[in-house]
């Protein structure tokens, strides 16, 4: 399947369903899933906008009229137009505001923003400031643009944003059982980095650098114990494998229980200060 074909595409004249012009907007499966049922509503409102232009320019409409005739404009006709557009316009404003914010976050220049807006730099800066400095943060419709409607997806308990196909909500496999984006446990420096999850996805690959200059998969020797493991002096001298860096900077180790790797459970993974570890030389 090619995603490089023109979008939208057009079919005009006798080939069009109504004999005038068909406009097709094609979405990939991921795009359709991101929009959900809102895709149909948005398309309907855009259709109303195009229909409104024909009403204003022709003074009548062929829609819902007897074949071969037209209906004249009425207040009820424009009630539909106004109602649909008053739903569409704030959403378009939200999309624009979210795009301005993201453009700035990604390092977009004021010069490029001004070019995109076909406006002087001073005007572009003023418009951007309105978005970035809005009291209370992003508007309702900017949040809608990035997170979807209230019926769509679950909120992440860490950042408050909704789940995405590329970053689903998972449950932390600890006593807290937080429902958070998977990215929180895979992003170094995040407060949840290293937290195991119930979906069996490990945030680490062998060679990922962690605190103390160690790396995931490295074999380390235990040289000391402290905190909850202070009484476990039997661990000193044992060799285990780095599995993660915990939120407090300690290093999680596996392979110290004497169990086969396939039989180890979360409780068998123990945490040590970096000063209690050294590279194994066996």
């Amino acid at each position: 399947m090619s995603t490089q074909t023109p979008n939208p595409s057009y079919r005009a004249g006798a080939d069009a369903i109504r004999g005038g012009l068909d406009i097709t907007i094609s979405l990939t499966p991921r795009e359709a899933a991101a929009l959900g049922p809102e895709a149909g509503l948005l398309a309907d409102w855009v259709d109303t906008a195009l229909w409104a232009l024909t009403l204003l320019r022709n003074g009548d409409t062929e829609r819902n009229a007897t074949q071969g005739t037209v209906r004249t404009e009425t207040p009820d006709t424009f009630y539909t137009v106004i109602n649909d557009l008053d739903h569409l316009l704030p959403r378009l404003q939200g999309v624009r505001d979210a795009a301005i914010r993201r453009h700035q976050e990604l390092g977009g220049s004021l010069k490029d923003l001004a070019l995109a807006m076909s406006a002087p730099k001073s005007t572009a800066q003023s418009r951007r400031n309105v978005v970035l400095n809005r009291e209370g943060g992003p508007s309702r419709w900017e949040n809608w643009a990035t997170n979807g409607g209230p019926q769509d997806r679950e909120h992440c308990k860490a950042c408050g944003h909704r789940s995405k196909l590329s970053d689903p909500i998972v449950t932390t496999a600890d006593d807290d059982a937080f429902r958070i984006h998977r990215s929180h446990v895979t992003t170094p420096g995040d407060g949840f980095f290293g937290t195991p999850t119930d979906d069996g996805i490990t945030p680490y690959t062998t060679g990922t650098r962690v605190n103390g200059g160690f790396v995931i998969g490295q074999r380390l020797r235990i040289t000391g114990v402290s905190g909850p493991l202070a009484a476990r002096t039997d661990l000193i001298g044992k060799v285990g494998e780095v599995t993660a860096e915990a939120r407090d900077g300690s290093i999680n180790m596996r392979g110290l229980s004497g169990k086969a790797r396939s039989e180890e459970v979360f409780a068998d993974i123990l945490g040590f200060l970096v000063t209690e570890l050294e590279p194994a030389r066996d």
Side-chain angles (χ1 to χ4, degrees):
M1 179 184 67
S2 173
T3 59
Q4 304 305 313
T5 54
N7 205 6
S9 58
Y10 305 92
R11 185 171 56 183
D15 291 332
I17 294 174
R18 293 177 176 171
L21 176 67
D22 289 347
I23 303 174
T24 301
I25 300 174
S26 183
L27 302 176
T28 67
R30 292 182 76 251
E31 290 171 340
L35 294 176
E38 292 175 317
L41 285 173
L42 292 168
D44 185 57
W45 294 332
V46 169
D47 174 68
T48 295
L50 296 177
W51 176 52
L53 286 173
T54 69
L55 282 170
L56 295 169
R57 294 175 182 182
N58 292 336
D60 53 37
T61 179
E62 296 169 292
R63 296 194 184 185
N64 298 319
T66 303
Q67 187 172 3
T69 66
V70 296
R71 291 190 304 117
T72 58
E73 304 166 306
T74 68
D76 286 345
T77 307
F78 284 100
Y79 171 90
T80 300
V81 171
I82 295 167
N83 183 263
D84 281 6
L85 296 188
D86 267 10
H87 283 86
L88 176 62
L89 290 175
R91 287 168 170 80
L92 294 179
Q93 183 71 44
V95 174
R96 172 189 174 275
D97 289 353
I100 290 173
R101 186 182 301 276
R102 193 63 180 139
H103 181 267
Q104 192 271 338
E105 291 172 346
L106 294 173
S109 70
L110 183 59
K111 177 182 177 181
D112 286 345
L113 181 63
L115 286 173
M117 293 180 170
S118 298
K121 289 174 64 175
S122 59
T123 301
Q125 184 170 23
S126 177
R127 292 174 180 173
R128 185 172 68 180
N129 288 343
V130 169
V131 173
L132 300 182
N133 300 327
R134 181 178 286 115
E135 184 177 356
S139 68
R140 171 190 178 187
W141 294 114
E142 184 181 340
N143 281 325
W144 167 84
T146 56
N147 300 323
Q151 78 285 358
D152 286 344
R153 298 184 294 277
E154 180 182 3
H155 285 282
C156 171
K157 297 300 183 183
C159 65
H161 294 156
R162 295 184 183 273
S163 64
K164 302 177 181 178
L165 286 177
S166 59
D167 194 9
I169 301 288
V170 296
T171 304
T172 59
D174 54 18
D175 292 339
D176 295 323
F178 285 120
R179 295 282 292 162
I180 60 175
H181 285 117
R182 183 183 292 160
S183 61
H184 288 297
V185 303
T186 62
T187 303
D190 191 287
F192 285 93
F193 180 64
T195 304
T197 63
D198 65 351
D199 66 349
I201 299 298
T202 174
Y204 308 101
T205 56
T206 299
T208 300
R209 187 168 297 278
V210 295
N211 194 23
F214 303 126
V215 297
I216 302 300
Q218 184 177 1
R219 291 174 58 77
L220 302 179
R221 188 181 307 280
I222 314 303
T223 62
V225 289
S226 61
L229 297 178
R232 294 291 309 276
T233 55
D234 61 299
L235 293 171
I236 297 176
K238 288 190 174 183
V239 174
E241 180 182 311
V242 178
T243 62
E245 176 186 330
R247 298 180 217 176
D248 61 1
S250 61
I251 302 300
N252 290 340
M253 302 282 292
R254 70 182 307 164
L256 300 170
S257 64
K259 299 178 182 178
R261 186 185 183 98
S262 61
E263 297 176 352
E264 285 188 316
V265 296
F266 179 58
D268 295 320
I269 298 175
L270 305 178
F272 300 87
L273 301 177
V274 294
T275 55
E276 298 168 346
L277 302 167
E278 67 178 14
R281 293 178 173 81
D282 54 356

